[in-house]
Amino acid sequence: MKNIVILISGGGSNMAAIVRAAQREDWASRYGARICAVISNRADAKGLDIARDAGIATEVLDHKDFASRDAFDEALAALIERHAPAHQSTLVVLAGFMRILTPPFVQRYAGRLVNIHPSLLPAFTGLHTHQRALDAGCKFAGATVHQVTAELDHGQILAQAVVPILSGDSADTLAARVLTQEHQIYPRAVAQLLQTL
Ligand code: GAR
């Protein structure tokens, strides 16, 4: 069995899109894959309810309970491996997980750790991507699914979606347009990756 662990910090709409695709496309029979846990670093993440309703095990690991980034990431890896034993194939999917991961964590899951970022990378790494795209006068924006490496928002690009920036757009209207595309490309990219594990 291939295990998918999804890490979230907030609304969890990308996680929900992946859960829906896994059910609709029967990833269990097709790829031998199951979503075995959703882990949030915030107890109030709305996505936890969505995961629970879908019958998926949920965990909260609050980064504020740890003295260092290294200590948090070690506990996170231990929690992941409690749900997805290290001897099985595991894919760790960051879906709005707003934490920078340490090099040892990234190394541990190298090639099996993916993220979605709300910009057309390599443009606009980091935060406030939509406002920055508007401020730069971009005509197009989008989202990128990529492998996670130790360098923030870098790593091999697996999928991208492009949306137009319309006159009168705010960061919020643009974010909403991009998000609907994220829900299309992320499940597809995860499904493709499952076939290579
Ligand atoms: C998404 O737009 C995702 O691309 C972004 O956070 C949002 C999470 O929404 N991720 C990042 O900014 C990562 N640096 P969701 O919780 O509804 O999936």
Side-chain angles (χ1 to χ4, degrees), residues 66-177:
F66 294 85
S68 68
R69 217 172 259 286
D70 280 308
F72 173 75
D73 281 9
E74 269 177 40
L76 182 58
L79 192 54
I80 289 170
E81 273 147 43
R82 201 179 311 146
H83 288 274
H87 63 273
Q88 296 178 353
S89 301
T90 301
L91 185 59
V92 179
V93 174
L94 309 182
F97 185 65
M98 304 305 278
R99 297 282 308 162
I100 294 174
L101 295 162
T102 56
F105 184 95
V106 170
Q107 193 52 48
R108 188 183 197 114
Y109 297 105
R112 302 177 290 126
L113 178 60
V114 292
N115 181 44
I116 190 156
H117 182 74
S119 79
L120 293 171
L121 290 174
F124 307 125
T125 60
L127 297 175
H128 311 300
T129 54
H130 304 301
Q131 190 58 53
R132 287 159 65 207
L134 291 171
D135 292 346
C138 295
K139 303 298 179 202
F140 293 92
T144 304
V145 179
H146 63 97
Q147 295 272 7
V148 176
T149 59
E151 196 179 347
L152 181 69
D153 299 330
H154 282 67
Q156 193 196 336
I157 291 174
L158 302 174
Q160 284 187 313
V162 180
V163 303
I165 293 181
L166 305 178
S167 64
D169 259 342
S170 64
D172 285 347
T173 59
L174 180 55
R177 190 175 310 121

Side-chain angles (χ1 to χ4, degrees), residues 10-14 95-96 98 116-118 179 182:
S13 69
N14 276 293
M98 304 305 278
I116 190 156
H117 182 74
L179 195 60
E182 294 184 37

